């Protein structure tokens, strides 16, 4: 059975087992061959894992427990500036798996209009451990800065969502959104001018350093190996198998390709037997 058929069977099981969802007629061709896209339907499995796997929750707690230990250690060291931690938002402190599932079940990928409609709801739940850790940091007079590639149009709804859960420093001064580029280095440096950044939290390597921005799959892997000591030390990584630069790197960040084109490129890079 091909990789495509295996993934199709897995997703079909999710659609039909106890969920009350009906599989559309387009899911199977007239000849009975699965018509499945890794690009549009693949994220279903990642979102199901994020919502239902206890292992996902355990990994998040592990990340934030590590952050707590490291923060306590770093607080014992001398510092010349006020202290801060920097965190991403999506899949780091807020959970967007309902959006991913909604789009995938429509056999559709990311859409800016659909994303803006989702974030306008201010309905994201929290990532396990995130709120507790950031409140822990704030109680030790460490300020929290949220650096996100959400747009300015999402500012009000984003703050409402963070404030709904009582995240610390959920205000305009601590929320740095995307302006002209998705790269976050300039925004990190803006914070670093006035604060000693003790920790950075994120689900994407570009949340930590510009050296990871828009790199190939092989380069990203090598850079992680070369910088292994910093992960779990100053860089705290949260799991996200739904989307991210790991996915874009597979097809050289050519997001405009058709789903079938992306499927072919991805399948050509997979190991099987």
């Amino acid at each position: 059975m091909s990789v495509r058929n295996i993934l199709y069977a897995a997703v079909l099981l999710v659609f039909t087992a106890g969920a009350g969802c009906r599989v559309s007629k387009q899911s199977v061709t007239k000849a009975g061959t699965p018509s499945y896209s890794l690009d549009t339907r693949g994220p279903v499995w990642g979102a199901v894992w994020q919502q239902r796997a206890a292992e996902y929750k355990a990994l998040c707690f592990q990340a934030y427990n590590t952050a707590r230990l490291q923060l306590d250690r770093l607080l014992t060291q001398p510092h010349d500036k006020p202290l801060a931690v920097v965190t991403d938002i999506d899949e780091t402190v807020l959970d967007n798996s309902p959006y991913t599932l909604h789009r995938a079940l429509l056999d559709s990928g990311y859409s800016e209009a659909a994303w803006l409609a989702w974030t306008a709801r201010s309905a994201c739940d929290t990532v396990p451990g995130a709120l507790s850790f950031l409140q822990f940091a704030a109680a030790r007079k460490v300020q929290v800065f949220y650096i996100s590639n959400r747009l300015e149009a999402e500012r009000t709804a984003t703050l409402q969502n963070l404030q709904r859960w009582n995240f610390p420093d959920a205000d305009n001064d601590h929320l740095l959104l995307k302006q002209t580029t998705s790269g976050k280095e300039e925004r990190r440096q803006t914070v670093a001018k006035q604060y000693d950044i003790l920790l950075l939290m994120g689900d994407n390597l570009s949340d930590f350093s510009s050296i990871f921005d828009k790199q190939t799959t092989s380069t990203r892997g090598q850079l992680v190996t070369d910088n292994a000591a910093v992960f779990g030390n100053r860089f705290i990584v949260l799991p996200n198998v739904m989307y991210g630069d790991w996915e874009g790197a597979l097809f050289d960040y050519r997001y405009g390709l058709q789903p079938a084109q992306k499927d072919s490129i991805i399948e050509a890079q997979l190991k099987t037997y």
Side-chain angles (χ1 to χ4, degrees), residues 113-133:
W115 172 258
L116 291 175
W118 159 248
T119 59
R121 293 170 173 258
S122 301
C124 293
D125 203 345
T126 62
V127 168
L131 179 59
S132 175
F133 169 71

Side-chain angles (χ1 to χ4, degrees), residues 214-228:
K214 303 299 181 186
Q215 299 287 2
T216 64
T217 297
S218 59
T219 299
R220 295 176 92 243
Q222 187 58 54
L223 285 169
V224 168
T225 299
D226 293 344
N227 294 277

